[in-house]
Amino acid sequence: MKILVVGNGGREHALAWKLLQSQRIQQVICIPGNGATATAARCQNVSLRIDDFEGIARFALVHGISLVVVGPELPLALGIKDYLQRHNLRVFGPTQAGAQIEASKSWAKSLMQSAGIPTPNFAVFQEVEKATAYVKDRGAPIVVKADGLAAGKGVMVAQTVAEAVEAVESLFQDGFDTVVIEECVTGQEVSVLALTDGLSIRPLLPAQDHKRIGEGDTGPNTGGMGAYAPTSLVTPALMARIEQEILQPTVEALRQQGIDYRGVLYAGLMISPQGDPTVLEFNCRFGDPETQAILPLLETPLEDLLLACTQQRLAELPPITWKPGAAACVVAAAQGYPGSYQKGQAIAGIEQAEAMGTTVFCAGVQLKQQQLVTDGGRVLAVAATGDTLESAIALAYRGMNCIEFEGMYYRKDIGHGAKTPSSMSG
Ligand code: GLY
């Protein structure tokens, strides 16, 4: 079986890495991939753009690709599934209509509202004056969201009315024609990613990520500076509620809208101090860097799960099996990220980190004259598993100590304060 993975980040490296553990898989092709997927055994990069659907379809048809796995949201929102499906290719990921759950916050909020799925109160505005008047009336803190894909930069939790007004104005100035203004809720954020075939769901291990650049969850938002799984915040009883009150009704609501959603339904949840889950957002794809912490614990062959989703036979599969214990990943970023940063710095120490028992998932990494060099803001993640979350985190940091590149920055507090769920510890 040959599988094509679309994307070039750490998430796509992790997907390719996991798929390559199966001897049934002859080859994984990454479009466009990164420096690590270029050099992995039985893995190959093909230099096509992720929105070049015609080129991707031609490649997949000529090379007998059994399954296309789409990593990022952008090609899904642009309709890659619809296009490749018309060419009789099998694709893991939702259609363009399904991807609206991430690509349009207002659409997703209306879906949740009509299906009775818990989500903070909200209002939608197409005019800056009405949006700012609403913010002034409601007061702060308040959440301002762009109604469209914004590469992780479309959500602002404003602590003052002035900040909220500025956020509204800058979103309209940046070209968004709609904003969603949402009640600010408190609690702890968790990521619950579920696989779905449009009928049934299979949740993956619940994870937590660290979105801010600075230690103690301070500073600007990033794509994610580290993650761990499972999180003890999501007990089996809470997971049952999340399935029954959120995931399954969402798949049902999508179906009632005529959307056959087969892929990942990623619920970004807030767990209130009372222990109740509410949906902050849905994403239509695997999380990054949650995937780099979840997949090292997955024992079930990933391709079995992905294929079953595309063939609508998820319910026939035995339960997903997981390694006991926990996993964590720590992201190393280029100095200046999430602002401007330099590229082209030589990366050293990956082999040494992996010799210690970690796995290094590359993201903004390019292969230049046989040398791995930095090529993005988030450069790589060092992932490790352990009997306990504490031991997984400690090993990930020992691995990170081996990595070097000029201007390297990483948070020292990933998983700080988190504990291995007692039912999961080794
Ligand atoms: N970790 C956040 C995301 O994947 O959107």
Side-chain angles (χ1 to χ4, degrees):
M1 198 183 337
K2 289 185 193 170
I3 299 191
L4 200 156
V5 174
V6 176
N8 65 351
R11 166 186 49 207
E12 288 76 27
H13 185 192
L15 288 165
W17 167 85
K18 185 68 203 166
L19 290 166
L20 286 163
Q21 285 175 6
S22 168
Q23 291 312 313
R24 285 168 63 207
I25 295 178
Q26 193 188 335
Q27 198 179 23
V28 172
I29 294 106
C30 295
I31 290 183
N34 59 38
T37 56
T39 49
R42 293 169 25 241
C43 197
Q44 182 200 332
N45 284 352
V46 170
S47 176
L48 286 172
R49 286 165 40 141
I50 59 173
D51 59 358
D52 178 3
F53 299 165
E54 198 187 326
I56 294 173
R58 200 176 317 116
F59 179 91
L61 289 168
V62 168
H63 292 85
I65 297 295
S66 306
L67 175 68
V68 179
V69 183
V70 185
E73 60 278 15
L74 182 68
L76 292 166
L78 294 174
I80 190 170
K81 161 76 162 263
D82 312 65
Y83 187 94
L84 297 184
Q85 222 170 221
R86 284 199 294 276
H87 290 80
N88 298 317
L89 289 160
R90 191 178 290 288
V91 181
F92 177 84
T95 57
Q96 186 169 34
Q100 286 180 96
I101 204 154
E102 176 165 0
S104 170
K105 301 283 178 234
S106 61
W107 188 88
K109 293 290 279 189
S110 301
L111 182 89
M112 287 186 257
Q113 195 175 43
S114 60
I117 290 156
T119 189
N121 293 324
F122 70 102
V124 178
F125 297 94
Q126 268 100 28
E127 288 151 83
V128 68
E129 296 79 15
K130 287 191 178 156
T132 50
Y134 180 82
V135 159
K136 286 175 186 165
D137 181 51
R138 289 293 158 131
I142 198 159
V143 181
V144 179
K145 294 183 171 178
D147 187 47
L149 295 182
K153 297 188 184 111
V155 178
M156 274 137 287
V157 182
Q159 297 302 330
T160 63
V161 168
E163 262 176 49
V165 168
E166 196 187 319
V168 166
E169 287 172 350
S170 74
L171 286 179
F172 279 106
Q173 268 161 23
D174 287 349
F176 291 100
D177 57 12
T178 304
V179 297
V180 175
I181 300 185
E182 198 176 88
E183 167 198 11
C184 186
V185 290
T186 54
Q188 294 233 47
E189 278 188 56
V190 300
S191 305
V192 177
L193 282 63
L195 303 176
T196 178
D197 61 2
L199 294 175
S200 59
I201 52 158
R202 288 290 172 92
L204 304 178
L205 291 178
Q208 285 190 276
D209 71 343
H210 293 266
K211 293 193 172 71
R212 304 294 187 112
I213 188 74
E215 279 150 27
D217 292 324
T218 54
N221 264 331
T222 69
M225 295 302 293
Y228 55 94
T231 165
S232 58
L233 255 175
V234 181
T235 59
L238 179 57
M239 185 58 108
R241 278 189 67 192
I242 292 168
E243 285 183 48
Q244 285 155 24
E245 296 172 20
I246 292 171
L247 297 170
Q248 198 66 61
T250 302
V251 171
E252 185 54 38
L254 288 162
R255 219 148 52 85
Q256 277 174 11
Q257 298 232 357
I259 296 172
D260 183 6
Y261 191 105
R262 304 185 193 192
V264 174
L265 181 62
Y266 163 158
L269 303 172
M270 184 69 88
I271 311 299
S272 74
Q274 294 72 36
D276 298 315
T278 187
V279 181
L280 298 179
E281 63 178 12
F282 279 119
N283 294 321
C284 64
R285 45 148 181 105
F286 283 101
D288 188 343
E290 290 94 327
T291 304
Q292 294 90 305
I294 293 171
L295 292 186
L297 294 169
L298 180 66
E299 281 186 337
T300 303
L302 180 60
E303 70 278 14
D304 290 354
L305 295 168
L306 304 185
L307 282 169
C309 286
T310 66
Q311 294 162 343
Q312 209 156 62
R313 45 177 194 76
L314 201 51
E316 293 167 23
L317 294 194
I320 297 179
T321 57
W322 300 98
K323 290 191 180 92
C329 73
V330 181
V331 169
Q335 193 173 22
Y337 174 79
S340 56
Y341 51 82
Q342 286 200 331
K343 294 182 180 180
Q345 313 296 341
I347 303 167
I350 291 180
E351 274 179 25
Q352 290 87 330
E354 294 201 319
M356 300 182 82
T358 69
T359 306
V360 178
F361 294 120
C362 288
V365 172
Q366 212 196 348
L367 187 65
K368 229 176 182 175
Q369 291 154 358
Q370 305 309 311
Q371 166 70 53
L372 292 178
V373 298
T374 66
D375 190 42
R378 286 191 299 166
V379 174
L380 54 81
V382 180
T385 58
D387 290 342
T388 62
L389 185 53
E390 292 79 356
S391 63
I393 292 168
L395 180 56
Y397 277 110
R398 284 203 299 280
M400 189 60 96
N401 282 337
C402 302
I403 306 282
E404 280 179 51
F405 59 86
E406 203 180 310
M408 171 174 147
Y409 166 81
Y410 62 93
R411 277 180 60 166
K412 314 285 184 306
D413 64 344
I414 299 304
H416 181 77
K419 290 203 170 42
T420 310
S422 49
S423 60
M424 300 282 185
S425 57

